[in-house]
Amino acid sequence: MDLSDIAGKLGLPQHKMLVRKAAELRRLCDVQFDSSIIRVGEVCKAVICLEIAATRFGEIIFDRQKAVKLSGMSEKAYARFFNSLKNGLNIKTTLYIRELGIQFGCVRLIPFVKKGLSLYKDRFMASLPSSRQASADFTRPVFTAVSFYLCAKKHKLKIDKVRLIEVCGTSESEFSCVSNMVFPYM
């Protein structure tokens, strides 16, 4: 099945750049992953590549429910493979504290999360030797998500941890590992 046909079934506009970007991602995916090894069909890979391309363009609204249905996978398996594919293709996502606050209905947490994250960064950098300070990377969305989660927990607000992990595009084990690292500083 052609990518433009799949884009039509998903209700995406016939945007040439979107289909080109999805085709490029699919070729990269074919080079780096073998479908038989990862046990995912070609249609599913194409759908996920279209979703990644649509999110990269930003202004295109993507219906994930239609995508899950078309891919033939369960929602959980789709989300897991989506995150694996993004990480495997080395596609970085940016996660903003304000976005999380709005998405989870905790806008009042934004200043606390910013303060907690900056405190963690400062203390962590101070504990590192000067040779390793330059290579420290806090741009990964998992740090923002963990800070948001721990601040919400501290203020006794309920946050859906599974949904937060899905939004930040990480695994549950990495989330809990970072959470154990950050917890003493929060």
Side-chain angles (χ1 to χ4, degrees), residues 3-4 12 33-34 37 93 103 111-112 125 129-130 133 150 170 182 184:
L3 275 170
S4 55
L12 294 172
F33 306 105
D34 184 18
I37 293 173
T93 54
Q103 195 170 5
F112 299 112
M125 291 297 275
S130 59
Q133 285 181 359
L150 292 176
T170 187
V182 174

Side-chain angles (χ1 to χ4, degrees), residues 9-80:
K9 285 186 178 185
L10 290 171
L12 294 172
Q14 292 300 327
H15 200 270
K16 284 185 180 183
M17 293 302 291
L18 171 72
V19 175
R20 279 187 195 159
K21 186 66 177 174
E24 176 188 342
L25 290 170
R26 190 171 178 183
R27 283 190 297 273
L28 279 170
C29 185
D30 288 339
V31 168
Q32 292 186 3
F33 306 105
D34 184 18
S35 293
S36 62
I37 293 173
I38 54 178
R39 295 186 180 142
V40 173
E42 292 298 317
V43 173
C44 181
K45 273 200 306 191
V47 168
I48 289 175
C49 288
L50 276 166
E51 182 176 356
I52 293 171
T55 55
R56 300 276 292 201
F57 279 106
E59 72 268 359
I60 299 170
I61 298 171
F62 191 85
D63 186 4
R64 186 169 246 195
Q65 296 304 319
K66 275 186 185 177
V68 169
K69 190 175 180 181
L70 186 61
S71 72
M73 298 177 83
S74 69
E75 194 166 341
K76 192 174 184 179
Y78 181 89
R80 189 176 298 137

